[in-house]
Amino acid sequence: MNIVVCVKYVPDATADRHFESDNTVDRVGVPGLLSELDEYAVEQALQLKEKAEGEEVEVTALTVGPDEASDAIKKALQMGADKGIHVVDDAIAGSDSLATSQVLAAAIEKIGDVDLVVCGMASTDASMSVVPAMLAERLDLPQVTLGSVIERQGKEFRIKRDGDTSTEVIGATAPLVLSVTDQSGEARYPSFKGIMAAKKKPLESWSLEDIGVDAGKVGLDAAWTAVEGTEERPPRTQGEVVTDEDGSGAKALVEFLASKKFI
């Protein structure tokens, strides 16, 4: 079985993040890491491999991004993935979800004979949750998304999807696209042995030309949406202290909540 896990390199949420002059997220000048939600995808792919007794399973970590995005691949390799593929090209900068899914789909098609594509539920920087569905459409594959429990029986996969009022059980036959939530199981930490072994695992770099994608169809100029402006969040100020000596505290609290449209 050939499993591809799509992972993303995202700015560290604890770092001082900012935008470039073209209003795109700075992904080079700030520290980054493997998106936490994608760690669950890697974990589930590795669990599927471990449970496949007597079956040869290969897990490939795939990412799209600048040179620094290879760190996301390296983390997946340290966790236990077998190899990594990094699609890197200056023309990709500023791509929206549509272009990103196009690049990922083309890379998956180049890999060939993929039985399962695994994604996280969303990226921690955009939180759109749309790329798995876009991938399924581009690859003409069924999708079972937002799974909290994953079960496999041969080529049949089933997931449990937890909603606000009910739980759905959805199944499909491989090849397919699967996405998992942070409820699917805690991701493992790389061991020292895993970190050392990752240094010897193959990590390939592909350009847009390598995967047959027209550079004019990706990037900021080809994006369907645009950010017109950004501004830094104002610094936090000291809150207002309301005393309730005359019984007016409750009224002041209600008026404050109403002014912020909390009630």
Side-chain angles (χ1 to χ4, degrees), residues 103-147:
V103 174
L104 287 171
I108 292 168
E109 289 176 339
K110 179 177 172 63
I111 293 170
D113 298 322
V114 175
D115 300 289
L116 183 65
V117 179
V118 186
C119 305
M121 62 182 288
S123 62
T124 53
D125 58 345
S127 301
M128 295 183 67
S129 301
V130 296
V131 168
M134 290 179 175
L135 271 178
E137 179 67 20
R138 291 187 182 279
L139 296 170
D140 194 23
L141 295 178
Q143 58 171 304
V144 285
T145 53
L146 302 178

Side-chain angles (χ1 to χ4, degrees), residues 11-203:
D12 188 342
T14 63
D16 183 17
R17 295 170 291 171
H18 56 274
F19 291 85
E20 300 278 17
S21 58
D22 59 3
N23 293 324
T24 60
V25 176
D26 181 7
R27 300 184 182 278
V28 177
V30 296
L33 71 170
L34 169 62
S35 177
E36 180 183 357
L37 294 174
D38 289 342
E39 291 185 10
Y40 298 101
V42 176
E43 176 63 32
Q44 290 307 308
L46 296 176
Q47 287 194 26
L48 288 169
K49 178 178 180 177
E50 293 166 354
K51 294 175 182 177
E53 298 180 0
E55 181 182 2
E56 184 176 349
V57 179
E58 184 174 63
V59 177
T60 301
L62 170 65
T63 196
V64 176
D67 292 337
E68 291 77 7
S70 61
D71 289 347
I73 292 284
K74 292 174 183 177
K75 176 68 176 292
L77 295 177
Q78 292 170 358
M79 292 174 67
D82 299 299
K83 67 178 184 179
I85 295 175
H86 179 191
V87 182
V88 54
D89 198 301
D90 290 342
I92 298 174
S95 292
D96 59 5
S97 296
L98 287 164
T100 300
S101 67
Q102 180 184 4
V103 174
L104 287 171
I108 292 168
E109 289 176 339
K110 179 177 172 63
I111 293 170
D113 298 322
V114 175
D115 300 289
L116 183 65
V117 179
V118 186
C119 305
M121 62 182 288
S123 62
T124 53
D125 58 345
S127 301
M128 295 183 67
S129 301
V130 296
V131 168
M134 290 179 175
L135 271 178
E137 179 67 20
R138 291 187 182 279
L139 296 170
D140 194 23
L141 295 178
Q143 58 171 304
V144 285
T145 53
L146 302 178
S148 59
V149 177
I150 294 87
E151 299 174 348
R152 181 201 173 200
Q153 192 75 6
K155 289 189 174 183
E156 300 295 324
F157 287 81
R158 286 189 176 184
I159 66 162
K160 289 184 179 180
R161 179 188 292 166
D162 298 318
D164 293 334
T165 59
S166 64
T167 297
E168 300 174 306
V169 177
I170 304 170
T173 303
L176 56 85
V177 175
L178 167 72
S179 74
V180 299
T181 70
D182 54 358
Q183 301 299 314
S184 58
E186 185 175 353
R188 68 192 68 187
Y189 290 100
S191 64
F192 178 76
K193 181 179 179 181
I195 293 173
M196 298 305 294
K199 296 180 179 180
K200 299 180 180 179
K201 294 178 179 179
L203 199 171

